[in-house]
Amino acid sequence: MSSTQQPSSSKNQTLFIASLIILWYSSNIGVLLLNKFLLSNYGFRFPIFLTMCHMSACAFFSYISIVFIKLVPLQPIKSTPQFLKIATLSVVFCCSVVGGNVSLRYLPVSFNQAVGATTPFFTALFAYFMTFKREAWVTYAALVPVVAGVVIASGVPQGKREKSGVEKNITFGLDIFQDCPFAGEPGFHWFGFIMCISATAARAFKSVLQGILLSSEGEKLNSMNLLLYMSPVAVLVLVPAALIMEPNVVEVTISLGRQHRYMWLLLLINSTLAYSANLSNFLVTKHTSALTLQVLGNAKGAVAVVISILLFRNPVTVVGIAGYTMTVLGVVAYGEAKRRFR
């Protein structure tokens, strides 16, 4: 009796984990593509406000999941210094998400994901300078193709267009490369690239900072509780930022809502997917391992690139594909090197 129940239980566990992975993939890729659609194709050009919607949904659903559904036990904040650490993490996290959303206005999703794959490079860099943590030389060597792939995929920008004042200040002196024939990414945009790199670096900085600030046993929070406390702080930071930097956001959003009857539904789905991505990330890590999550994350990036190219029809070149492939293989090699030389 028990022998028949054991395979059945194992099969159910496998199906459960597979369902979690599908949910994680769907949520991550879904929110990414919806962000791109809203910010580039729909006329909703407010990345800060969009991030605020995401964090509001995360705050609401985290409270429901922990306090009412009791998905995980509630971990209270124990001290003012701990709260200040969480607030610091929240601000850094806001910068990474806003930067990523801004970059989606200018870059194809495929290239955005290729740049995002360099997160291990920045993580290793920050870990070395902030904690003096050194990895084996093989691990650092694996990061070379990660960065080289993005450099190859980036190529140089093609074509010229009128820039805004902010873009002119940021990209001053870079236009000398405009007419070079060896371009890799047809949709390359300097301002978008700088924002994407900044967001990737901020995401890596947040992970290292989290390890430092919440390293003591008495202050450790699981990712669900950390999200519960970070989200309201993020909203408080993003509300004034949106009103100052996107002054007509309320007026334009209401106007778009009247013109397109699905506008509010898209925002609601997009914000819900943002929380679902965080929840499924936590559940996949809990029921598998951090290494499995890293490997699956590499595959997820590749899937997102393919889907975005098919959906948005953004042109890619052979050089660009070669760069994307090199970056993904580099990340895989990095994960394997960390596992072997831990």
Side-chain angles (χ1 to χ4, degrees):
M1 186 74 174
S2 60
S3 60
T4 58
Q5 287 179 346
Q6 191 172 359
S8 176
S9 176
S10 177
K11 185 178 179 181
N12 291 338
Q13 179 71 4
T14 302
L15 287 174
F16 176 69
I17 293 174
S19 301
L20 288 179
I21 293 171
I22 292 172
L23 175 65
W24 182 48
Y25 270 43
S26 303
S27 301
N28 274 273
I29 295 174
V31 73
L32 185 68
L33 297 179
L34 261 179
N35 284 349
K36 177 64 177 177
F37 176 73
L38 285 168
L39 294 168
S40 297
N41 302 76
Y42 201 77
F44 183 82
R45 305 188 183 280
F46 305 108
I48 298 176
F49 181 77
L50 183 63
T51 306
M52 189 198 74
C53 292
H54 290 176
M55 300 315 296
S56 298
C58 286
F60 175 75
F61 288 120
S62 293
Y63 185 79
I64 297 297
S65 299
I66 294 174
V67 176
F68 291 100
I69 302 177
K70 300 187 185 302
L71 194 63
V72 294
L74 177 65
Q75 297 174 288
I77 296 177
K78 297 179 180 179
S79 65
T80 301
Q82 185 185 19
F83 172 76
L84 293 176
K85 293 174 182 179
I86 292 171
T88 303
L89 286 173
S90 183
V91 172
V92 175
F93 181 68
C94 282
C95 293
S96 69
V97 177
V98 169
N101 286 342
V102 170
S103 72
L104 284 172
R105 283 189 56 185
Y106 303 98
L107 297 177
V109 174
S110 53
F111 187 61
N112 177 281
Q113 288 293 285
V115 175
T118 62
T119 301
F121 167 77
F122 289 103
T123 303
L125 200 66
F126 287 127
Y128 179 79
F129 286 109
M130 294 172 65
T131 66
F132 304 104
K133 179 184 177 183
R134 296 184 180 182
E135 304 284 355
W137 70 268
V138 177
T139 305
Y140 290 120
L143 290 171
V144 174
V146 172
V147 178
V150 170
V151 172
I152 292 171
S154 304
V156 293
Q158 292 181 336
K160 296 183 179 180
R161 67 173 186 80
E162 187 65 26
K163 299 189 183 87
S164 68
V166 175
E167 292 175 66
K168 285 179 180 177
N169 291 334
I170 293 178
T171 62
F172 177 74
L174 299 175
D175 291 335
I176 58 173
F177 300 108
Q178 285 258 355
D179 298 318
C180 178
F182 302 104
E185 172 55 55
F188 187 94
H189 188 283
W190 274 114
F191 181 70
F193 178 69
I194 291 169
M195 293 305 297
C196 194
I197 280 287
S198 301
T200 304
R203 187 160 54 246
F205 180 66
K206 181 252 178 188
S207 66
V208 176
L209 194 64
Q210 181 176 329
I212 296 172
L213 297 182
L214 299 175
S215 57
S216 68
E217 289 299 324
E219 293 185 345
K220 276 187 178 179
L221 297 172
N222 64 50
S223 57
M224 292 296 294
N225 276 273
L226 186 60
L227 184 65
L228 171 66
Y229 294 122
M230 283 175 56
S231 300
V233 176
V235 173
L236 291 176
V237 171
L238 291 167
V239 167
L243 293 176
I244 294 170
M245 300 177 71
E246 299 170 345
N248 59 337
V249 59
V250 177
E251 178 186 344
V252 174
T253 302
I254 293 174
S255 176
L256 282 172
R258 289 172 178 170
Q259 293 175 29
H260 310 282
R261 58 179 179 173
Y262 296 115
M263 171 69 186
W264 301 110
L265 181 62
L266 286 175
L267 270 180
L268 178 62
I269 293 173
N270 184 249
S271 301
T272 304
L273 283 175
Y275 172 72
S276 178
N278 283 286
L279 173 63
S280 54
N281 182 291
F282 168 75
L283 292 174
V284 170
T285 306
K286 180 180 178 181
H287 290 280
T288 57
S289 67
L291 180 61
T292 301
L293 188 79
Q294 187 178 37
V295 174
L296 291 171
N298 299 337
K300 175 179 65 66
V303 172
V305 167
V306 173
I307 292 177
S308 68
I309 291 172
L310 294 174
L311 193 62
F312 293 107
R313 307 283 182 181
N314 55 282
V316 290
T317 64
V318 175
V319 174
I321 293 174
Y324 300 156
T325 305
M326 182 181 291
T327 295
V328 172
L329 292 177
V331 174
V332 173
Y334 172 78
E336 181 64 17
K338 282 205 70 172
R339 184 182 69 82
R340 292 194 177 192
F341 298 94
R342 186 179 299 276

